[in-house]
């Protein structure tokens, strides 16, 4: 005897866990988490910026402001970190590096809070905290 359903559904059904790669609030949440983990595990920040660039322009709605905010957070944070690294030779760089880490964490937390409330980032192109 043959299976009645054979050949009808050869494609496996998508798993629920695959949705974190699709543009939307869940993906933005993952990117925020990757950024915060990047302070400890450097490579995760790079994965986050790639995901943000891939999904920017596809989500629509309030999530678009989060993708802009996430991309700018990465690049501005990198710029600030490089300036701090250069200034380490003048000793003030250590203090600035700490300030950059606090700025980065605060920006991610404020973005996460807005995302969880279903709100856009008020000023995603801000160089400070996006308020």
């Amino acid at each position: 005897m043959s299976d009645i359903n054979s050949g009808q559904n050869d494609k496996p059904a998508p798993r629920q866990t695959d949705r974190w790669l699709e543009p939307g609030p869940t993906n933005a949440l993952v990117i925020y988490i990757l950024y915060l983990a990047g302070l400890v595990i450097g490579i995760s920040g790079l994965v986050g910026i790639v995901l943000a660039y891939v999904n920017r322009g596809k989500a629509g709605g309030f999530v678009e402001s989060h993708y802009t905010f996430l991309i700018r957070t990465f690049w501005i944070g990198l710029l600030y970190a490089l300036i701090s690294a250069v200034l380490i030779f003048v000793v003030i760089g250590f203090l600035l590096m700490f300030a950059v880490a606090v700025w980065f964490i605060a920006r991610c937390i404020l973005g996460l809070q807005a995302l969880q409330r279903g709100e856009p980032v008020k000023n995603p192109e801000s160089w400070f905290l996006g308020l």
Side-chain angles (χ1 to χ4, degrees):
M1 301 201 126
S2 66
D3 188 348
I4 296 172
N5 291 329
S6 66
Q8 288 180 358
N9 289 330
D10 291 339
K11 274 191 342 185
R15 300 178 309 176
Q16 286 290 89
T17 56
D18 291 340
R19 290 189 314 181
W20 67 272
L21 287 173
E22 296 173 7
T26 303
N27 180 257
L29 175 69
V30 168
I31 297 170
Y32 280 117
I33 292 168
L34 286 170
Y35 278 9
L36 291 171
L39 295 171
V40 179
I41 309 166
I43 194 76
S44 69
L46 295 175
V47 173
I49 189 69
V50 168
L51 284 173
Y53 270 116
V54 166
N55 291 317
R56 182 173 68 170
K58 297 178 184 175
F62 77 94
V63 181
E64 281 304 316
S65 69
H66 286 277
Y67 284 122
T68 301
F69 188 70
L70 284 160
I71 290 169
R72 289 184 56 85
T73 298
F74 179 86
W75 291 116
I76 294 169
L78 184 63
L79 174 67
Y80 289 165
L82 289 175
I83 291 170
S84 299
V86 168
L87 291 175
I88 282 180
F89 298 111
V90 192
V91 180
I92 195 168
F94 291 108
L95 180 61
L96 288 176
M97 194 65 81
F98 177 74
V100 169
V102 169
W103 170 86
F104 190 83
I105 292 167
R107 222 167 128 102
C108 287
I109 289 173
L110 290 172
L112 275 169
Q113 288 175 341
L115 184 69
Q116 293 300 313
R117 288 189 307 262
E119 298 174 354
V121 176
K122 289 179 178 61
N123 187 5
E125 296 189 6
S126 167
W127 280 70
F128 193 53
L129 294 176
L131 299 174

